[in-house]
Amino acid sequence: MYAGKELRRARHARGFTVRKLAEIAGTSAAAISQIENGARGVSVERYSSLLSKTRTRIVSLPTLANTAVEVAESIASFLAENDNQAAYREFISFSDSLRKQSPGIRVAITLVAPETTGSALYDAAIAALVEHWLSEASSPLPDWLENADLFLPELQHLREGIYGPTPEPEEVSAAFLRHNVLFPEVAMESV
């Protein structure tokens, strides 16, 4: 299923319809749709060929860290189950993971824009977290961080539960303030 999601993302990023990709790849729209929906398997060679039509390629990274895309999907799943604590823990875990990665791996696992989590607050917080850890390493920032949907109209506090003190702006990193997310810098590491 993950390969199908990535193919769909690559197709959308290129602005192709299923029909257009099928035409370019010399296959049927039904075949592309089945691959994207996980109803049909695909060999690595065929998958690589399809991705190349969208000017995307398969890359192997020396890490087991989750990408921003995977983390957003996981948070969306937790939020759909009303498990806010699990969503929050996933967010903190992603912060820990980014902190531990080399600058190049940080860039690689955050390069592709994640889909929405269903929560504007979490979407903005993920963008702020990526921006924080990439900026901390003086790494280039992906363009998706400038998406207007990732900037909240007013300050909102991301916290594990409904209670807890609201941090002062001086306790929040510049990246989080830029996205209007109140999240204390000290909370970016799990205990």
Side-chain angles (χ1 to χ4, degrees):
M1 185 64 177
Y2 187 72
K5 285 181 180 181
E6 287 304 312
L7 180 59
R8 181 180 298 116
R9 255 190 274 288
R11 179 176 59 75
H12 284 171
R14 190 75 173 118
F16 289 168
T17 63
V18 169
R19 188 173 302 228
K20 178 69 174 175
L21 178 57
E23 179 184 309
I24 293 169
T27 191
S28 70
I32 299 293
S33 183
Q34 288 171 344
I35 291 167
E36 288 184 357
N37 293 315
R40 179 181 192 166
V42 62
S43 69
V44 173
E45 294 79 11
R46 181 67 176 143
Y47 183 61
S48 180
S49 174
L50 289 170
L51 283 175
S52 73
K53 305 300 183 203
T54 67
R55 296 188 181 169
T56 306
R57 67 176 66 179
I58 298 173
V59 176
S60 173
L61 298 174
T63 183
L64 294 175
N66 286 335
T67 65
V69 168
E70 293 166 319
V71 169
E73 287 174 356
S74 181
I75 289 173
S77 176
F78 288 131
L79 292 175
E81 297 169 2
N82 290 318
D83 193 344
N84 295 329
Q85 289 183 328
Y88 184 85
R89 285 191 303 271
E90 183 74 11
F91 180 79
I92 297 296
S93 178
F94 185 47
S95 179
D96 286 344
S97 179
L98 285 174
R99 180 178 48 83
K100 293 173 186 174
Q101 302 304 316
S102 69
I105 296 297
R106 284 183 193 176
V107 170
I109 65 176
T110 61
L111 193 57
V112 175
E115 293 182 14
T116 183
T117 62
S119 162
L121 176 56
Y122 267 104
D123 293 346
I126 290 169
L129 187 66
V130 167
E131 185 173 323
H132 171 81
W133 286 116
L134 291 179
S135 296
E136 187 267 342
S138 299
S139 297
L141 302 177
D143 293 340
W144 65 266
L145 293 178
E146 296 304 321
N147 181 328
D149 293 337
L150 301 175
F151 294 89
L152 299 173
E154 57 187 36
L155 284 171
Q156 289 187 43
H157 184 191
L158 179 67
R159 57 182 155 209
E160 184 173 9
I162 59 172
Y163 303 107
T166 301
E168 296 297 325
E170 56 270 6
E171 298 173 293
V172 178
S173 82
F176 279 84
L177 288 176
R178 193 170 93 80
H179 289 271
N180 269 336
V181 177
L182 282 175
F183 187 74
E185 205 164 342
V186 68
M188 281 193 262
E189 296 181 28
S190 64
V191 187

